[in-house]
Amino acid sequence: MTENNAPRTQPLSTALKCLKMLEVVAGAERSVRVAELARELGLTRAAVHQQLVTLVAAGWMEQAGDGTYRLTLRPARVGQAALRQAGLGERVLPVMERLVDVVREAVSLAILERGTATIIQRIEPGRPLQVDLRAEARMPISRSASGQVLLAYATERQLAELRELGAELPGEDELARVRERGYATSEGRWLEGVLGIAAPVFDVERRCVGALSVAGPSSRFDHEKGIRALGDAVAEINEVLSGGPAGTRGERL
């Protein structure tokens, strides 16, 4: 039998059903019951329960004390890995390079990972900067500008997971102010003498997938110029990630 005539390998229907269930649960803002999943998926309760038992055994879901089911943190870790492998940092790199040229300060892209704001891409200007940061560095989630942005635009599920991890979270009023302004600032709250400004990066479904930030010594950082330049940069990035052509502009800060 030639390769062209070989029978096609068919996908596992059971695996597809389990993956579909994960998508449904991920779309809910709270834990879900077996009956709800059965209605949503068009399956019997017995079939749904069997899939849930499988996903619980694999570590993807867990049962709460009230009998409902919810995702564990494993999908979150896989999701962050997907962002890395999809080249989020590489896609925004040209915009980050232009931003560095304008502000002449360090520019970073951070994502929410394991209870911290984790830098996955960082560019510094030609001159030395007295800030000990680099790609893969982790910033305090509540005291850094990037962390505040990631928290302000986090889902209820993400916030609940952070509380379970024991993360220190700002009050809702503070997060609401970040959303109202469209950016967050942090001066000396994490690193003495350093001012940081961060704004959200959204995907095509308007979900916050990262925070773009500019940081530099307070003594030389032009705050207003930094906000304007950062606003132009995130507008361009958000346009690109939403499927628009590079170089166009969306909403500014």
Side-chain angles (χ1 to χ4, degrees), residues 64-113:
D66 61 357
T68 58
Y69 288 85
R70 62 190 180 190
L71 298 177
T72 64
L73 290 178
R74 178 169 292 182
R77 292 194 294 271
V78 172
Q80 299 302 345
L83 287 177
R84 293 177 183 274
Q85 295 181 20
L88 175 61
E90 294 177 3
R91 293 187 191 188
V92 304
L93 188 58
V95 182
M96 294 175 66
E97 291 174 339
R98 289 194 290 273
L99 179 57
V100 168
D101 288 340
V102 172
V103 297
R104 304 304 300 166
E105 303 292 356
V107 174
S108 302
L109 178 66
I111 61 174
L112 183 61
E113 185 175 59

Side-chain angles (χ1 to χ4, degrees), residues 144-150 152-153 173-186 195-202 210-214 221 223-232 234 252-253:
S144 63
S146 292
Q148 292 174 54
V149 165
L150 293 171
Y153 292 90
D173 290 344
E174 185 175 349
L175 297 180
R177 285 194 294 272
V178 172
R179 291 191 293 270
E180 181 179 355
R181 292 186 302 178
Y183 66 91
T185 61
S186 176
L195 170 63
I197 308 172
V201 171
F202 297 106
L212 186 69
S213 66
V214 179
F221 195 104
H223 182 267
E224 294 302 323
K225 180 180 180 180
I227 291 177
R228 291 194 301 271
L230 182 63
D232 287 340
V234 294
R252 292 177 173 80
L253 301 183

Side-chain angles (χ1 to χ4, degrees), residues 26 35 53 60 81 83 87 104 116 127 141 157 162 175 214 219 235:
V53 169
W60 288 80
L83 287 177
R104 304 304 300 166
T116 64
R127 67 189 179 201
I141 194 69
R157 185 186 297 277
L162 287 167
L175 297 180
V214 179
S219 59

Side-chain angles (χ1 to χ4, degrees), residues 50-62 69 72 74:
Q50 185 178 38
Q51 291 179 27
L52 287 170
V53 169
T54 300
L55 291 169
V56 168
W60 288 80
M61 294 188 66
E62 62 187 4
Y69 288 85
T72 64
R74 178 169 292 182

Side-chain angles (χ1 to χ4, degrees), residues 6-221:
R8 292 182 57 189
T9 302
Q10 298 298 316
L12 293 173
S13 60
T14 53
L16 291 175
K17 291 176 181 177
C18 284
L19 291 172
K20 177 62 177 178
M21 177 175 290
L22 286 175
E23 291 182 1
V24 171
V25 176
E29 289 296 326
R30 54 176 176 77
S31 301
V32 295
R33 298 187 178 278
V34 173
E36 294 177 80
L37 289 171
R39 288 195 299 271
E40 179 72 20
L41 296 168
L43 300 173
T44 65
R45 293 193 183 190
V48 167
H49 186 260
Q50 185 178 38
Q51 291 179 27
L52 287 170
V53 169
T54 300
L55 291 169
V56 168
W60 288 80
M61 294 188 66
E62 62 187 4
Q63 187 174 23
D66 61 357
T68 58
Y69 288 85
R70 62 190 180 190
L71 298 177
T72 64
L73 290 178
R74 178 169 292 182
R77 292 194 294 271
V78 172
Q80 299 302 345
L83 287 177
R84 293 177 183 274
Q85 295 181 20
L88 175 61
E90 294 177 3
R91 293 187 191 188
V92 304
L93 188 58
V95 182
M96 294 175 66
E97 291 174 339
R98 289 194 290 273
L99 179 57
V100 168
D101 288 340
V102 172
V103 297
R104 304 304 300 166
E105 303 292 356
V107 174
S108 302
L109 178 66
I111 61 174
L112 183 61
E113 185 175 59
R114 293 190 292 274
T116 64
T118 301
I119 296 175
I120 61 172
Q121 189 70 266
R122 177 176 170 81
I123 304 177
E124 296 190 14
R127 67 189 179 201
L129 181 63
Q130 301 302 313
V131 183
D132 184 21
L133 288 177
R134 60 192 183 278
E136 300 297 338
R138 296 182 182 180
M139 300 177 286
I141 194 69
S142 62
R143 299 196 305 277
S144 63
S146 292
Q148 292 174 54
V149 165
L150 293 171
L151 288 174
Y153 292 90
T155 65
E156 285 301 321
R157 185 186 297 277
Q158 288 174 316
L159 293 175
E161 291 170 348
L162 287 167
R163 294 188 188 99
E164 291 182 2
L165 290 173
E168 175 189 355
L169 303 182
E172 175 54 34
D173 290 344
E174 185 175 349
L175 297 180
R177 285 194 294 272
V178 172
R179 291 191 293 270
E180 181 179 355
R181 292 186 302 178
Y183 66 91
T185 61
S186 176
E187 184 171 6
R189 294 181 61 187
W190 172 36
L191 295 173
E192 186 66 28
V194 174
L195 170 63
I197 308 172
V201 171
F202 297 106
D203 66 8
V204 67
E205 296 183 4
R206 294 295 296 174
R207 294 174 300 195
C208 179
V209 294
L212 186 69
S213 66
V214 179
S218 305
S219 59
R220 73 174 187 227
F221 195 104

